Amino acid sequence: MSGRVELFGLYLPGRSLLHRIPVAGKFALVFAASLLGLLLRQWPVSVGALAGCVALLLGCRLGVRRCLALPAAVWVMVALLVAYQLVWGTWRDAALVVANLLLCVYAARMLTLTTPAPVLLDALVVAARPLKLIGVQPERVGLAAAIMLRSIPHLLASFDEVRDAARARGLERNLLARVSPVVVQAVAYAQTTGGALAARGLGEGDEDSG
């Protein structure tokens, strides 16, 4: 388990440029970098933005593996996307899709590695306040984000545990043996989380109080 790679990474203190930028500036940087590639849809732009994100991450001096390593599942997805685009599209399409995918992941990692989770969630709640006009509760947005940040590492850990258990039983090629336990654990985790929220008065019924 110690060798498991996080998708977005966990906060590590430092004195780099990204660490010193206010959280609002980081959000703006991440959105700008991501939208640049997604909206312009030009592979040189996306590759250039990805290279910029990678350079900023390495500039944090937190270690190459901590900054750039991705879970094996991500690389499997990348390989499948490349194969699909090469068969049904062109190498330019493959470069664009893969660069945009990695750009979004590494842009998000710039936030999570250099900003404490409570600061990120507080900033998200503040950013969501204008949504009150359409009935959205900012605190619920922050709560949903907090649950997501906790759930992703849990699910990735489940994949690792189930994979190791299947390999130990000689079932590493049995898709059912590798997927079913993960689904069961995910459902159990969701039920436990839902029960904890309900116990704190955060269930669906509390909306009727208004």
Side-chain angles (χ1 to χ4, degrees), residues 112-188:
T112 55
L113 280 181
T114 63
T115 312
V119 176
L120 278 177
L121 296 176
D122 288 344
L124 184 60
V125 170
V126 172
R129 283 177 182 170
L131 298 179
K132 280 186 174 181
L133 298 175
I134 57 175
V136 176
Q137 298 183 23
E139 291 75 15
R140 284 179 177 262
V141 174
L143 178 62
I147 293 173
M148 181 193 71
L149 289 176
R150 290 188 58 189
S151 300
I152 291 176
H154 177 83
L155 293 177
L156 289 176
S158 296
F159 274 109
D160 287 344
E161 292 171 357
V162 170
R163 178 196 61 198
D164 294 341
R167 183 178 298 161
R169 298 194 304 269
L171 299 173
E172 63 271 16
R173 295 186 179 181
N174 189 320
L175 185 61
L176 186 62
R178 297 186 61 175
V179 174
S180 298
V182 175
V183 174
V184 172
Q185 292 182 30
V187 171

Side-chain angles (χ1 to χ4, degrees), residues 56 87 97 151 176 206:
L56 286 173
V87 172
V97 171
S151 300
L176 186 62
D206 64 344

Side-chain angles (χ1 to χ4, degrees), residues 15-90:
R15 299 181 179 179
S16 69
L17 175 63
L18 279 177
H19 282 90
R20 297 195 301 268
I21 294 177
V23 64
K26 294 179 189 178
F27 270 114
L29 179 62
V30 167
F31 280 119
S34 301
L35 291 177
L36 190 66
L38 294 174
L39 294 181
L40 294 183
R41 299 190 59 80
Q42 298 291 328
W43 74 265
V45 175
S46 297
V47 171
L50 173 61
C53 283
V54 169
L56 286 173
L57 278 170
L58 293 178
C60 295
R61 298 181 179 179
L62 299 175
V64 174
R65 185 178 186 276
R66 174 74 67 173
C67 291
L68 301 184
L70 294 174
V74 175
W75 294 118
V76 172
M77 183 185 302
V78 167
L80 292 175
L81 287 172
V82 169
Y84 177 85
Q85 293 297 336
L86 290 179
V87 172
W88 299 104
T90 66

